[in-house]
Amino acid sequence: MSLFEFSDRTKKYQSDLLEFMDSHIYPAETIYDLQMRESGDPHFQPPILEELKAEARVRGLWNLFHPHPGTGPGLSNLEYAPLAEIMGRSHLASEACNCNAPDTGNIEVLELFGTDEHREKYLKPLLDGTMASAFAMTEPAVASSDATNIELTMERAGDGYVLNGRKWFASNALHKNCKVMIVMGKTDPTAARHRQQSMMVVPIDAPGVTVLRGLPVFGYQDREGHAEIDFKDVRVPSKDVLKGEGEGFAISQARLGPGRIHHCMRSIGMAERALELMCTRAQSRTTFGQPLSERSNIQDWIAEARIDIEMIRLLTLKAAHLMDTVGNKAARTEIAAIKVAAPQIALKIVDRAIQVHGGGGVTDDFPLAMAYAHLRILRLADGPDEVHKRAIANFELRKYHSPPAATTATDVRPTTNRKVAVG
């Protein structure tokens, strides 16, 4: 049996998901676009999406990401990987199946570190798909690729904290169903570097919270939004601190591991769809008396795309397997590697598919321009490429680190035939 051969249960979910994509998701993309345009609101929640969610739930294609049996099917990372890939082929599928970021990461945080009150008030509706949530960590005034730089203050005040600062790129904060945020800030600037931060549960309508604007991504105002948010004297009771004061950095690392690989899984789906569109377009267009598909450079692009997709899929599956068997920490090199490789390779394939489509490729008549924008931001989201490369390099260098040996007279070797005087 192949190491990455999928279980019968996974194959059944694959089959069911593929049928759902063909029968409901792809046909809904045009309806979704029409409903969004007619609403005149870039953050409108279109009825077609709620219909897709209801259908996915009836079909048992709900909370597929959730690793705990009972809440979801209890799939491992390896079992979930091919399903996330399928959902990545359309921008509607993940939310339709309640498997969209950042809700998936927030659900896991609330599951692991939330109180009974958090679970009842926020976790249950998130799992039911009736509520959305945001994750507020990145800040405009500092290099947030180093999470220890964050400056939003969380100062003790009686039986709670007062929050002051500015966040941005809080995805989902403009979603019509968003009710709650998980916010990371500094509770003790004098503590050890990785113990200064805490995470707190903050209602999005709490007094002092102001959503200033939605940030465009390559000109797109994504429906869920990427918000810039001001916190001014926002009061948070102590009971809403997750896990405990000083645990924010540890929670962020636990949260980002699965989230990063989920993004990579979906990126492969985007790349597969781009390759499919590239091949279809190349066979339907003729230039200078010859089909595009017969041009050697186009054939090279198609061949390279298939090779690259297979490589990143195998690396993703290896990372997922290691996360399941030896844990996220032991799989950190593979997680970092695929976080760099998957968006870069998928982006290259989408870019070439755009080129084959000509002017049409940069319009919204095809899903390529939107896919390009989403993939490009993935090279920054959950840590930029450079941070992951640095982590990989440091891990590799440690393998060869040894203390320098003491040098003695007998260690000196002549570099020519002449004798070398020592001492």
Side-chain angles (χ1 to χ4, degrees), residues 368-385:
L368 296 169
M370 182 184 291
Y372 187 97
H374 286 169
L375 286 166
R376 185 59 186 86
I377 198 172
L378 279 187
R379 294 187 57 198
L380 296 167
D382 291 347
D385 292 355

Side-chain angles (χ1 to χ4, degrees), residues 186-415:
K186 278 191 177 176
T187 43
D188 184 1
T190 65
R193 190 160 178 252
H194 293 89
R195 294 286 303 172
Q196 299 176 6
Q197 307 82 13
S198 299
M199 283 195 188
M200 300 183 186
V201 176
V202 182
I204 200 163
D205 60 356
V209 172
T210 304
V211 178
L212 299 172
R213 60 172 175 152
L215 294 157
V217 177
F218 285 96
Y220 285 99
Q221 275 286 355
D222 288 335
R223 180 175 49 81
E224 68 276 14
H226 308 287
E228 183 172 2
I229 304 175
D230 188 57
F231 294 78
K232 185 173 179 58
D233 297 330
V234 179
R235 295 191 171 272
V236 178
S238 297
K239 63 184 178 63
D240 287 334
V241 178
L242 291 167
K243 194 178 181 183
E245 191 174 301
E247 297 289 345
F249 194 84
I251 294 173
S252 71
Q253 294 305 106
R255 182 190 187 280
L256 290 176
R260 283 170 177 154
I261 196 168
H262 291 176
H263 282 315
C264 297
M265 296 165 181
R266 289 188 289 266
S267 297
I268 298 168
M270 288 188 198
E272 281 283 12
R273 191 170 185 190
L275 175 56
E276 177 183 304
L277 290 167
M278 191 193 321
C279 291
T280 302
R281 186 77 169 187
Q283 290 181 320
S284 67
R285 288 293 190 272
T286 299
T287 60
F288 307 106
Q290 189 177 33
L292 284 178
S293 59
E294 293 182 14
R295 303 288 181 184
S296 59
N297 67 312
I298 303 298
Q299 291 184 351
D300 280 350
W301 289 356
I302 291 168
E304 289 172 8
R306 172 51 58 207
I307 293 166
D308 286 344
I309 288 172
E310 296 303 323
M311 288 194 297
I312 57 173
R313 180 182 287 122
L314 283 172
L315 181 53
T316 301
L317 293 177
K318 181 188 177 187
H321 169 72
L322 289 174
M323 290 169 71
D324 292 335
T325 55
V326 295
N328 294 2
K329 186 175 181 180
R332 61 189 180 277
T333 295
E334 285 75 13
I335 294 172
I338 195 57
K339 179 60 178 66
V340 173
Q344 283 189 2
I345 287 174
L347 196 64
K348 180 177 74 173
I349 294 169
V350 169
D351 183 69
R352 287 175 168 179
I354 289 172
Q355 197 72 9
V356 171
H357 280 71
V362 298
T363 71
D364 288 340
D365 288 3
F366 301 91
L368 296 169
M370 182 184 291
Y372 187 97
H374 286 169
L375 286 166
R376 185 59 186 86
I377 198 172
L378 279 187
R379 294 187 57 198
L380 296 167
D382 291 347
D385 292 355
E386 292 75 17
V387 170
H388 297 299
K389 288 179 180 178
R390 178 175 179 267
I392 295 166
N394 286 338
F395 185 74
E396 288 298 311
L397 289 167
R398 282 199 296 270
K399 295 178 185 178
Y400 305 100
H401 175 74
S402 58
T407 304
T408 66
T410 56
D411 292 323
V412 179
R413 298 289 184 269
T415 55

